[in-house]
Amino acid sequence: MGVEFVDLFNQWASSYDDTVSGNDPEYKEVFEGYEDMLELLAGLSISPVMEFGVGTANLTRKMIGQNKVVIGIEPSSEMRRIANLKCPEAAIYDGDFLNYPQLITPIQSIVSSFAFHHLTTSEKIEAIQKFDDKLESKGKVIFIDTLFKDEAHKQALIKNAEKSGHLNLAQDLQEEYYGYLDELKEMFSNQGFEVSFKQINNYAWLIQAKKGE
Ligand SMILES: C[S@@+](CC[C@H](N)C(=O)[O-])C[C@H]1O[C@@H](n2cnc3c(N)ncnc32)[C@H](O)[C@@H]1O
């Protein structure tokens, strides 16, 4: 459930860091400012942190560098292998947004970068309910992910990708489950979170959702 992209991530793992460094022209704009974004997200995280979709541990390493306790969850075995090599100090478990080991650590923040869009709408709603259960009172969900301001924004990004000959990106934008701003706002608000959004580049947004008492 929600992990249909795992084979793709196993294959992508060894060249993933190359892509996020801007060496893949097709995804350069998506990951524009990647290191700064992760730095921002790491700085906002509150320890103990639970991180979903760790990938190659680029965000994990920044949080560990800030002496935070990080529990990482990652469904791809290849991504986990690289993450463990790059960040042996972190505890990284097999799992996904909906199924993960139940640990007793009280969680103050839940973070994720470029992963929440792998869930369908109903899976996102289920995951947000679980975040609410998992977080301590006043805990925070802090994500960075591609999302669409509205339908016109989505169509403009697809058109732009096609015009640039970035056909894989154009296909991703149509087939993956990138959310719309209003839709995500409603999902978090319905679960009692106070949510805010900040655009970071043409694709990526910072999403902050604070749980009540
Ligand atoms: C684009 S990568 C992002 C990796 C890293 N967070 C970063 O910012 O570079 C997406 C990651 O999400 C993981 N993933 C895919 N489906 C997932 C799911 N349902 N739950 C949690 N993680 C998932 C993938 O295996 C992959 O490592």
Side-chain angles (χ1 to χ4, degrees), residues 10 27-28 42 46 85 98-99 121 128 140 142 159 161 163 195 213:
N10 280 334
Y27 291 90
K28 194 177 163 84
I46 312 156
L85 288 174
L98 301 179
N99 300 292
T121 300
I128 291 169
K140 274 182 155 185
I142 316 159
K159 209 168 158 192
K163 216 171 88 193
V195 63
E213 297 291 334

Side-chain angles (χ1 to χ4, degrees), residues 2 9 16 34 53-55 74-76 79 96-97 113-115 118-119:
F9 281 106
Y16 182 76
Y34 177 75
V54 163
E74 168 55 54
S76 149
M79 287 287 192
D96 59 76
F97 278 105
S113 50
F114 300 103
H118 294 307
L119 301 189

Side-chain angles (χ1 to χ4, degrees), residues 1-6 9-10 12 16-17 20 31 34 38 51-59 73-76 79 95-98 112-119 123 144:
M1 191 192 211
V3 288
E4 67 219 61
F5 302 102
V6 163
F9 281 106
N10 280 334
W12 192 11
Y16 182 76
D17 283 349
V20 295
F31 293 112
Y34 177 75
L38 298 194
E51 182 188 356
F52 288 97
V54 163
T56 57
N58 293 327
L59 172 63
I73 307 291
E74 168 55 54
S76 149
M79 287 287 192
D96 59 76
F97 278 105
L98 301 179
S112 182
S113 50
F114 300 103
F116 199 50
H117 65 267
H118 294 307
L119 301 189
E123 288 167 348
I144 284 178

Side-chain angles (χ1 to χ4, degrees), residues 1-3 6 9 16 34 38 41 45-46 48-61 63 69-76 79-80 83 90-103 105-119 123-124 126-136 140-145 188 193:
M1 191 192 211
V3 288
V6 163
F9 281 106
Y16 182 76
Y34 177 75
L38 298 194
L41 181 41
S45 68
I46 312 156
V49 191
M50 195 157 184
E51 182 188 356
F52 288 97
V54 163
T56 57
N58 293 327
L59 172 63
T60 326
R61 279 207 302 183
M63 294 187 291
V69 173
V70 183
I71 296 160
I73 307 291
E74 168 55 54
S76 149
M79 287 287 192
R80 279 201 310 279
I92 301 171
Y93 299 92
D94 184 11
D96 59 76
F97 278 105
L98 301 179
N99 300 292
Y100 45 86
Q102 294 306 313
L103 306 167
T105 316
I107 299 299
Q108 297 289 354
S109 62
I110 293 176
V111 305
S112 182
S113 50
F114 300 103
F116 199 50
H117 65 267
H118 294 307
L119 301 189
E123 288 167 348
K124 287 191 186 97
E126 190 182 339
I128 291 169
Q129 285 164 355
K130 284 174 175 271
F131 300 156
D132 192 21
D133 293 343
K134 194 85 206 148
L135 280 171
E136 295 291 293
K140 274 182 155 185
V141 177
I142 316 159
F143 286 172
I144 284 178
D145 203 1
F188 278 106
F193 285 87

